[in-house]
Amino acid sequence: MAGSLTADAEVTCGNDSAPQRVRVPAALSGGGSRAAAFHLGCLRALHDRDLLDHVRVVSGISGGSLLAALWAYGPTDFADFDASTTDLLRSGLQRDIARQAFTPSAVVRNLAAATCAGARGLLSRTSSVSVARPANRTDALATVLTHKAFGTRTMADVTHPGLDIVLTATDLATTNAVRFGSARSGCSRYGTITEPINVATAVAASAAYPALLPALDRTFTFQHRDGHHQQHTVLLTDGGVYDNLGLSVLEPGRSPHHTQHVYDVPFIISCDAGMGELTVKAPHFMLGRLSRSFTTVHRKAQDSARTRLHEWAASGRIDGFALAYLGMKDDRLPAPPPDLVPRSAVATYPTNFTAMAMSDFEAITTRGEQLMRTVLPMYLRLAPR
């Protein structure tokens, strides 16, 4: 790759011999608890190489949003962040979500919303009226994240000076991305959100996997490009529906006329918790066919996103990248460590934020750390420490 990234984050690009500081971006993919644990391992490797302190832009999706937010809004000391994140992932979120979602008051509010929806004919194909679900499981997730991780922090309350963070969700109403950022939040169709956004809300929206968690219904005031303000309701679901690798927000050449988030970055560090090649199946019945079809479309999108990284580098739009891919075949690593955690041990780990056994947690985080250590010198020429 053209260019070189040194351990103190100074870069020499092209024929320019004078080193200059750059904004190193990191993209943390979706994948639930598997992704969060894998990304923790990747961040450990970046921290050990003195690179993490120079990451200035983080794009998070779903489980990657959780890990990105735990770092961006958590303790400034990495050891403290590592310990608190380990505790959260090991204890899981699923039981707490169930306790919160099925309290008597939550059940009553959901039943009332369902009754209202039926009365308005929302179950008909032609209805376009929206009724909020005020106490669904995704709202419960946001409440749990408030209590266990983020408190009342808003997206502007980053604990690392100079860090920009962008957490992506998908609006099912418009099919656009909704970006929650430390500098600004918004949707390309509607404009910039004027209200402060709670971190817990942004993470819950980004992690609301459609098969398990309902869309998060929120109404925001948007400032349009012509300056006028208008309220719009968005139905927020998993950011992975739009872009599961989190790379689109970092794409070179993005126009400020079409998006609130534009970053001129020469390098990209991509952490991909995808499982890789799937086992062979022969689904003959409807549910199996639908599931396999969704998986095929999702995998194709993942492959295309990884291909774009190579295309950006080959065309000179970026100077280099490092891709740590959980699902990479072990025999494709040119210099694997002798104690490499095999792909087969972690690739199919569930993504549903249940409590993680220590053996599973250590296997996934260790593979993330090992892969990041391996690919950094492969893709970026690092100066020795």
PDB file of all heavy atoms in Angstrom, residues 305-334:
ATOM      1  N   ALA A 305     -18.566  -4.678   0.629  1.00  0.00           N
ATOM      2  CA  ALA A 305     -17.954  -3.643   1.465  1.00  0.00           C
ATOM      3  C   ALA A 305     -16.459  -3.889   1.610  1.00  0.00           C
ATOM      4  O   ALA A 305     -15.651  -2.949   1.537  1.00  0.00           O
ATOM      5  CB  ALA A 305     -18.627  -3.608   2.833  1.00  0.00           C
ATOM      6  N   ARG A 306     -16.068  -5.151   1.819  1.00  0.00           N
ATOM      7  CA  ARG A 306     -14.634  -5.451   1.913  1.00  0.00           C
ATOM      8  C   ARG A 306     -13.927  -5.153   0.594  1.00  0.00           C
ATOM      9  O   ARG A 306     -12.795  -4.650   0.585  1.00  0.00           O
ATOM     10  CB  ARG A 306     -14.428  -6.919   2.298  1.00  0.00           C
ATOM     11  CG  ARG A 306     -14.965  -7.274   3.669  1.00  0.00           C
ATOM     12  CD  ARG A 306     -14.630  -8.707   4.044  1.00  0.00           C
ATOM     13  NE  ARG A 306     -15.542  -9.152   5.081  1.00  0.00           N
ATOM     14  CZ  ARG A 306     -16.585  -9.942   4.881  1.00  0.00           C
ATOM     15  NH1 ARG A 306     -16.843 -10.404   3.676  1.00  0.00           N
ATOM     16  NH2 ARG A 306     -17.369 -10.276   5.878  1.00  0.00           N
ATOM     17  N   THR A 307     -14.596  -5.454  -0.501  1.00  0.00           N
ATOM     18  CA  THR A 307     -14.012  -5.177  -1.813  1.00  0.00           C
ATOM     19  C   THR A 307     -13.774  -3.685  -2.004  1.00  0.00           C
ATOM     20  O   THR A 307     -12.761  -3.272  -2.602  1.00  0.00           O
ATOM     21  CB  THR A 307     -14.936  -5.706  -2.927  1.00  0.00           C
ATOM     22  OG1 THR A 307     -15.087  -7.115  -2.779  1.00  0.00           O
ATOM     23  CG2 THR A 307     -14.360  -5.408  -4.301  1.00  0.00           C
ATOM     24  N   ARG A 308     -14.687  -2.863  -1.493  1.00  0.00           N
ATOM     25  CA  ARG A 308     -14.525  -1.414  -1.629  1.00  0.00           C
ATOM     26  C   ARG A 308     -13.250  -0.925  -0.945  1.00  0.00           C
ATOM     27  O   ARG A 308     -12.592   0.000  -1.432  1.00  0.00           O
ATOM     28  CB  ARG A 308     -15.741  -0.677  -1.067  1.00  0.00           C
ATOM     29  CG  ARG A 308     -16.975  -0.790  -1.943  1.00  0.00           C
ATOM     30  CD  ARG A 308     -17.966   0.333  -1.661  1.00  0.00           C
ATOM     31  NE  ARG A 308     -18.407   0.360  -0.279  1.00  0.00           N
ATOM     32  CZ  ARG A 308     -19.431  -0.354   0.197  1.00  0.00           C
ATOM     33  NH1 ARG A 308     -20.094  -1.165  -0.609  1.00  0.00           N
ATOM     34  NH2 ARG A 308     -19.786  -0.259   1.458  1.00  0.00           N
ATOM     35  N   LEU A 309     -12.903  -1.511   0.190  1.00  0.00           N
ATOM     36  CA  LEU A 309     -11.653  -1.134   0.849  1.00  0.00           C
ATOM     37  C   LEU A 309     -10.471  -1.313  -0.100  1.00  0.00           C
ATOM     38  O   LEU A 309      -9.614  -0.429  -0.238  1.00  0.00           O
ATOM     39  CB  LEU A 309     -11.435  -1.995   2.101  1.00  0.00           C
ATOM     40  CG  LEU A 309     -11.971  -1.500   3.436  1.00  0.00           C
ATOM     41  CD1 LEU A 309     -11.647  -2.508   4.522  1.00  0.00           C
ATOM     42  CD2 LEU A 309     -11.393  -0.146   3.792  1.00  0.00           C
ATOM     43  N   HIS A 310     -10.413  -2.480  -0.748  1.00  0.00           N
ATOM     44  CA  HIS A 310      -9.321  -2.746  -1.686  1.00  0.00           C
ATOM     45  C   HIS A 310      -9.373  -1.780  -2.868  1.00  0.00           C
ATOM     46  O   HIS A 310      -8.328  -1.308  -3.340  1.00  0.00           O
ATOM     47  CB  HIS A 310      -9.409  -4.193  -2.176  1.00  0.00           C
ATOM     48  CG  HIS A 310      -9.088  -5.204  -1.116  1.00  0.00           C
ATOM     49  ND1 HIS A 310      -7.805  -5.611  -0.832  1.00  0.00           N
ATOM     50  CD2 HIS A 310      -9.896  -5.888  -0.257  1.00  0.00           C
ATOM     51  CE1 HIS A 310      -7.821  -6.510   0.143  1.00  0.00           C
ATOM     52  NE2 HIS A 310      -9.080  -6.693   0.506  1.00  0.00           N
ATOM     53  N   GLU A 311     -10.568  -1.480  -3.348  1.00  0.00           N
ATOM     54  CA  GLU A 311     -10.697  -0.567  -4.487  1.00  0.00           C
ATOM     55  C   GLU A 311     -10.254   0.841  -4.113  1.00  0.00           C
ATOM     56  O   GLU A 311      -9.590   1.522  -4.906  1.00  0.00           O
ATOM     57  CB  GLU A 311     -12.139  -0.567  -4.980  1.00  0.00           C
ATOM     58  CG  GLU A 311     -12.567  -1.876  -5.635  1.00  0.00           C
ATOM     59  CD  GLU A 311     -14.040  -1.890  -5.990  1.00  0.00           C
ATOM     60  OE1 GLU A 311     -14.784  -1.009  -5.491  1.00  0.00           O
ATOM     61  OE2 GLU A 311     -14.463  -2.783  -6.760  1.00  0.00           O
ATOM     62  N   TRP A 312     -10.618   1.305  -2.911  1.00  0.00           N
ATOM     63  CA  TRP A 312     -10.201   2.641  -2.486  1.00  0.00           C
ATOM     64  C   TRP A 312      -8.687   2.736  -2.423  1.00  0.00           C
ATOM     65  O   TRP A 312      -8.107   3.755  -2.811  1.00  0.00           O
ATOM     66  CB  TRP A 312     -10.808   2.972  -1.131  1.00  0.00           C
ATOM     67  CG  TRP A 312     -12.298   3.056  -1.114  1.00  0.00           C
ATOM     68  CD1 TRP A 312     -13.133   3.190  -2.190  1.00  0.00           C
ATOM     69  CD2 TRP A 312     -13.147   2.991   0.041  1.00  0.00           C
ATOM     70  NE1 TRP A 312     -14.446   3.222  -1.784  1.00  0.00           N
ATOM     71  CE2 TRP A 312     -14.500   3.092  -0.424  1.00  0.00           C
ATOM     72  CE3 TRP A 312     -12.923   2.852   1.409  1.00  0.00           C
ATOM     73  CZ2 TRP A 312     -15.586   3.075   0.447  1.00  0.00           C
ATOM     74  CZ3 TRP A 312     -14.003   2.827   2.271  1.00  0.00           C
ATOM     75  CH2 TRP A 312     -15.321   2.936   1.803  1.00  0.00           C
ATOM     76  N   ALA A 313      -8.054   1.686  -1.907  1.00  0.00           N
ATOM     77  CA  ALA A 313      -6.598   1.695  -1.806  1.00  0.00           C
ATOM     78  C   ALA A 313      -5.946   1.592  -3.186  1.00  0.00           C
ATOM     79  O   ALA A 313      -4.984   2.311  -3.485  1.00  0.00           O
ATOM     80  CB  ALA A 313      -6.131   0.556  -0.913  1.00  0.00           C
ATOM     81  N   ALA A 314      -6.471   0.709  -4.028  1.00  0.00           N
ATOM     82  CA  ALA A 314      -5.880   0.515  -5.354  1.00  0.00           C
ATOM     83  C   ALA A 314      -5.988   1.773  -6.216  1.00  0.00           C
ATOM     84  O   ALA A 314      -5.101   2.055  -7.029  1.00  0.00           O
ATOM     85  CB  ALA A 314      -6.553  -0.661  -6.060  1.00  0.00           C
ATOM     86  N   SER A 315      -7.054   2.537  -6.045  1.00  0.00           N
ATOM     87  CA  SER A 315      -7.254   3.749  -6.841  1.00  0.00           C
ATOM     88  C   SER A 315      -6.592   4.974  -6.225  1.00  0.00           C
ATOM     89  O   SER A 315      -6.652   6.060  -6.817  1.00  0.00           O
ATOM     90  CB  SER A 315      -8.752   4.025  -7.005  1.00  0.00           C
ATOM     91  OG  SER A 315      -9.356   4.295  -5.740  1.00  0.00           O
ATOM     92  N   GLY A 316      -5.980   4.822  -5.062  1.00  0.00           N
ATOM     93  CA  GLY A 316      -5.328   5.939  -4.399  1.00  0.00           C
ATOM     94  C   GLY A 316      -6.249   6.838  -3.612  1.00  0.00           C
ATOM     95  O   GLY A 316      -5.830   7.893  -3.130  1.00  0.00           O
ATOM     96  N   ARG A 317      -7.504   6.450  -3.443  1.00  0.00           N
ATOM     97  CA  ARG A 317      -8.437   7.276  -2.672  1.00  0.00           C
ATOM     98  C   ARG A 317      -8.102   7.222  -1.182  1.00  0.00           C
ATOM     99  O   ARG A 317      -8.433   8.152  -0.434  1.00  0.00           O
ATOM    100  CB  ARG A 317      -9.870   6.818  -2.919  1.00  0.00           C
ATOM    101  CG  ARG A 317     -10.304   6.971  -4.378  1.00  0.00           C
ATOM    102  CD  ARG A 317     -11.690   6.407  -4.607  1.00  0.00           C
ATOM    103  NE  ARG A 317     -12.711   7.223  -3.975  1.00  0.00           N
ATOM    104  CZ  ARG A 317     -13.994   6.869  -3.873  1.00  0.00           C
ATOM    105  NH1 ARG A 317     -14.389   5.683  -4.347  1.00  0.00           N
ATOM    106  NH2 ARG A 317     -14.874   7.660  -3.304  1.00  0.00           N
ATOM    107  N   ILE A 318      -7.497   6.131  -0.732  1.00  0.00           N
ATOM    108  CA  ILE A 318      -6.895   6.056   0.593  1.00  0.00           C
ATOM    109  C   ILE A 318      -5.495   5.472   0.406  1.00  0.00           C
ATOM    110  O   ILE A 318      -5.203   4.810  -0.599  1.00  0.00           O
ATOM    111  CB  ILE A 318      -7.706   5.200   1.591  1.00  0.00           C
ATOM    112  CG1 ILE A 318      -7.885   3.759   1.082  1.00  0.00           C
ATOM    113  CG2 ILE A 318      -9.043   5.843   1.893  1.00  0.00           C
ATOM    114  CD1 ILE A 318      -8.579   2.836   2.089  1.00  0.00           C
ATOM    115  N   ASP A 319      -4.612   5.698   1.361  1.00  0.00           N
ATOM    116  CA  ASP A 319      -3.234   5.233   1.253  1.00  0.00           C
ATOM    117  C   ASP A 319      -3.035   3.826   1.810  1.00  0.00           C
ATOM    118  O   ASP A 319      -2.012   3.201   1.556  1.00  0.00           O
ATOM    119  CB  ASP A 319      -2.293   6.191   1.988  1.00  0.00           C
ATOM    120  CG  ASP A 319      -2.253   7.561   1.324  1.00  0.00           C
ATOM    121  OD1 ASP A 319      -2.267   7.614   0.082  1.00  0.00           O
ATOM    122  OD2 ASP A 319      -2.227   8.570   2.041  1.00  0.00           O
ATOM    123  N   GLY A 320      -3.991   3.336   2.574  1.00  0.00           N
ATOM    124  CA  GLY A 320      -3.843   2.001   3.144  1.00  0.00           C
ATOM    125  C   GLY A 320      -4.980   1.675   4.082  1.00  0.00           C
ATOM    126  O   GLY A 320      -5.783   2.538   4.432  1.00  0.00           O
ATOM    127  N   PHE A 321      -5.047   0.412   4.489  1.00  0.00           N
ATOM    128  CA  PHE A 321      -6.047  -0.013   5.456  1.00  0.00           C
ATOM    129  C   PHE A 321      -5.548  -1.257   6.154  1.00  0.00           C
ATOM    130  O   PHE A 321      -4.639  -1.952   5.686  1.00  0.00           O
ATOM    131  CB  PHE A 321      -7.393  -0.297   4.781  1.00  0.00           C
ATOM    132  CG  PHE A 321      -7.371  -1.470   3.822  1.00  0.00           C
ATOM    133  CD1 PHE A 321      -7.637  -2.757   4.275  1.00  0.00           C
ATOM    134  CD2 PHE A 321      -7.090  -1.281   2.490  1.00  0.00           C
ATOM    135  CE1 PHE A 321      -7.616  -3.828   3.402  1.00  0.00           C
ATOM    136  CE2 PHE A 321      -7.068  -2.342   1.611  1.00  0.00           C
ATOM    137  CZ  PHE A 321      -7.323  -3.621   2.061  1.00  0.00           C
ATOM    138  N   ALA A 322      -6.130  -1.527   7.299  1.00  0.00           N
ATOM    139  CA  ALA A 322      -5.894  -2.772   8.019  1.00  0.00           C
ATOM    140  C   ALA A 322      -7.251  -3.397   8.298  1.00  0.00           C
ATOM    141  O   ALA A 322      -8.109  -2.765   8.904  1.00  0.00           O
ATOM    142  CB  ALA A 322      -5.142  -2.517   9.333  1.00  0.00           C
ATOM    143  N   LEU A 323      -7.449  -4.627   7.831  1.00  0.00           N
ATOM    144  CA  LEU A 323      -8.718  -5.330   7.992  1.00  0.00           C
ATOM    145  C   LEU A 323      -8.513  -6.572   8.845  1.00  0.00           C
ATOM    146  O   LEU A 323      -7.856  -7.527   8.417  1.00  0.00           O
ATOM    147  CB  LEU A 323      -9.283  -5.717   6.628  1.00  0.00           C
ATOM    148  CG  LEU A 323     -10.497  -6.653   6.620  1.00  0.00           C
ATOM    149  CD1 LEU A 323     -11.682  -6.015   7.336  1.00  0.00           C
ATOM    150  CD2 LEU A 323     -10.883  -7.045   5.195  1.00  0.00           C
ATOM    151  N   ALA A 324      -9.049  -6.537  10.056  1.00  0.00           N
ATOM    152  CA  ALA A 324      -9.049  -7.714  10.925  1.00  0.00           C
ATOM    153  C   ALA A 324     -10.412  -8.377  10.799  1.00  0.00           C
ATOM    154  O   ALA A 324     -11.420  -7.818  11.226  1.00  0.00           O
ATOM    155  CB  ALA A 324      -8.782  -7.318  12.377  1.00  0.00           C
ATOM    156  N   TYR A 325     -10.447  -9.566  10.210  1.00  0.00           N
ATOM    157  CA  TYR A 325     -11.688 -10.233   9.828  1.00  0.00           C
ATOM    158  C   TYR A 325     -11.806 -11.547  10.597  1.00  0.00           C
ATOM    159  O   TYR A 325     -11.059 -12.481  10.358  1.00  0.00           O
ATOM    160  CB  TYR A 325     -11.669 -10.471   8.315  1.00  0.00           C
ATOM    161  CG  TYR A 325     -12.841 -11.212   7.728  1.00  0.00           C
ATOM    162  CD1 TYR A 325     -14.086 -11.238   8.358  1.00  0.00           C
ATOM    163  CD2 TYR A 325     -12.708 -11.869   6.504  1.00  0.00           C
ATOM    164  CE1 TYR A 325     -15.153 -11.912   7.789  1.00  0.00           C
ATOM    165  CE2 TYR A 325     -13.772 -12.544   5.931  1.00  0.00           C
ATOM    166  CZ  TYR A 325     -14.991 -12.568   6.578  1.00  0.00           C
ATOM    167  OH  TYR A 325     -16.046 -13.239   6.022  1.00  0.00           O
ATOM    168  N   LEU A 326     -12.753 -11.581  11.543  1.00  0.00           N
ATOM    169  CA  LEU A 326     -12.920 -12.761  12.392  1.00  0.00           C
ATOM    170  C   LEU A 326     -13.102 -14.028  11.566  1.00  0.00           C
ATOM    171  O   LEU A 326     -12.557 -15.075  11.899  1.00  0.00           O
ATOM    172  CB  LEU A 326     -14.110 -12.558  13.330  1.00  0.00           C
ATOM    173  CG  LEU A 326     -14.445 -13.695  14.299  1.00  0.00           C
ATOM    174  CD1 LEU A 326     -14.964 -13.141  15.617  1.00  0.00           C
ATOM    175  CD2 LEU A 326     -15.497 -14.644  13.717  1.00  0.00           C
ATOM    176  N   GLY A 327     -13.878 -13.936  10.474  1.00  0.00           N
ATOM    177  CA  GLY A 327     -14.204 -15.118   9.691  1.00  0.00           C
ATOM    178  C   GLY A 327     -13.166 -15.505   8.658  1.00  0.00           C
ATOM    179  O   GLY A 327     -13.395 -16.441   7.872  1.00  0.00           O
ATOM    180  N   MET A 328     -12.021 -14.822   8.636  1.00  0.00           N
ATOM    181  CA  MET A 328     -10.980 -15.172   7.676  1.00  0.00           C
ATOM    182  C   MET A 328     -10.503 -16.602   7.907  1.00  0.00           C
ATOM    183  O   MET A 328     -10.319 -17.038   9.048  1.00  0.00           O
ATOM    184  CB  MET A 328      -9.796 -14.212   7.809  1.00  0.00           C
ATOM    185  CG  MET A 328      -8.618 -14.524   6.887  1.00  0.00           C
ATOM    186  SD  MET A 328      -7.230 -13.395   7.139  1.00  0.00           S
ATOM    187  CE  MET A 328      -7.916 -11.884   6.451  1.00  0.00           C
ATOM    188  N   LYS A 329     -10.300 -17.351   6.829  1.00  0.00           N
ATOM    189  CA  LYS A 329      -9.790 -18.714   6.950  1.00  0.00           C
ATOM    190  C   LYS A 329      -8.377 -18.683   7.532  1.00  0.00           C
ATOM    191  O   LYS A 329      -7.543 -17.883   7.119  1.00  0.00           O
ATOM    192  CB  LYS A 329      -9.793 -19.402   5.596  1.00  0.00           C
ATOM    193  CG  LYS A 329     -11.182 -19.673   5.040  1.00  0.00           C
ATOM    194  CD  LYS A 329     -11.107 -20.410   3.714  1.00  0.00           C
ATOM    195  CE  LYS A 329     -12.496 -20.721   3.184  1.00  0.00           C
ATOM    196  NZ  LYS A 329     -12.445 -21.431   1.868  1.00  0.00           N
ATOM    197  N   ASP A 330      -8.126 -19.570   8.476  1.00  0.00           N
ATOM    198  CA  ASP A 330      -6.842 -19.564   9.167  1.00  0.00           C
ATOM    199  C   ASP A 330      -5.668 -19.756   8.215  1.00  0.00           C
ATOM    200  O   ASP A 330      -4.601 -19.165   8.401  1.00  0.00           O
ATOM    201  CB  ASP A 330      -6.823 -20.658  10.242  1.00  0.00           C
ATOM    202  CG  ASP A 330      -7.899 -20.450  11.295  1.00  0.00           C
ATOM    203  OD1 ASP A 330      -8.369 -19.302  11.447  1.00  0.00           O
ATOM    204  OD2 ASP A 330      -8.288 -21.427  11.960  1.00  0.00           O
ATOM    205  N   ASP A 331      -5.852 -20.578   7.181  1.00  0.00           N
ATOM    206  CA  ASP A 331      -4.733 -20.858   6.281  1.00  0.00           C
ATOM    207  C   ASP A 331      -4.448 -19.716   5.318  1.00  0.00           C
ATOM    208  O   ASP A 331      -3.487 -19.783   4.535  1.00  0.00           O
ATOM    209  CB  ASP A 331      -4.978 -22.158   5.500  1.00  0.00           C
ATOM    210  CG  ASP A 331      -6.262 -22.128   4.677  1.00  0.00           C
ATOM    211  OD1 ASP A 331      -6.887 -21.053   4.583  1.00  0.00           O
ATOM    212  OD2 ASP A 331      -6.644 -23.185   4.135  1.00  0.00           O
ATOM    213  N   ARG A 332      -5.253 -18.656   5.352  1.00  0.00           N
ATOM    214  CA  ARG A 332      -5.000 -17.502   4.496  1.00  0.00           C
ATOM    215  C   ARG A 332      -4.144 -16.455   5.184  1.00  0.00           C
ATOM    216  O   ARG A 332      -3.717 -15.489   4.550  1.00  0.00           O
ATOM    217  CB  ARG A 332      -6.318 -16.883   4.034  1.00  0.00           C
ATOM    218  CG  ARG A 332      -7.138 -17.799   3.133  1.00  0.00           C
ATOM    219  CD  ARG A 332      -8.321 -17.081   2.537  1.00  0.00           C
ATOM    220  NE  ARG A 332      -7.902 -15.968   1.690  1.00  0.00           N
ATOM    221  CZ  ARG A 332      -8.759 -15.158   1.061  1.00  0.00           C
ATOM    222  NH1 ARG A 332     -10.075 -15.337   1.207  1.00  0.00           N
ATOM    223  NH2 ARG A 332      -8.320 -14.161   0.309  1.00  0.00           N
ATOM    224  N   LEU A 333      -3.908 -16.616   6.480  1.00  0.00           N
ATOM    225  CA  LEU A 333      -3.014 -15.704   7.181  1.00  0.00           C
ATOM    226  C   LEU A 333      -1.569 -16.072   6.840  1.00  0.00           C
ATOM    227  O   LEU A 333      -1.160 -17.223   7.035  1.00  0.00           O
ATOM    228  CB  LEU A 333      -3.232 -15.794   8.689  1.00  0.00           C
ATOM    229  CG  LEU A 333      -4.509 -15.156   9.239  1.00  0.00           C
ATOM    230  CD1 LEU A 333      -4.694 -15.520  10.703  1.00  0.00           C
ATOM    231  CD2 LEU A 333      -4.444 -13.644   9.089  1.00  0.00           C
ATOM    232  N   PRO A 334      -0.773 -15.128   6.328  1.00  0.00           N
ATOM    233  CA  PRO A 334       0.591 -15.468   5.911  1.00  0.00           C
ATOM    234  C   PRO A 334       1.525 -15.804   7.065  1.00  0.00           C
ATOM    235  O   PRO A 334       2.468 -16.563   6.895  1.00  0.00           O
ATOM    236  CB  PRO A 334       1.050 -14.204   5.177  1.00  0.00           C
ATOM    237  CG  PRO A 334       0.209 -13.109   5.734  1.00  0.00           C
ATOM    238  CD  PRO A 334      -1.121 -13.730   6.047  1.00  0.00           C
TER     239      PRO A 334
END
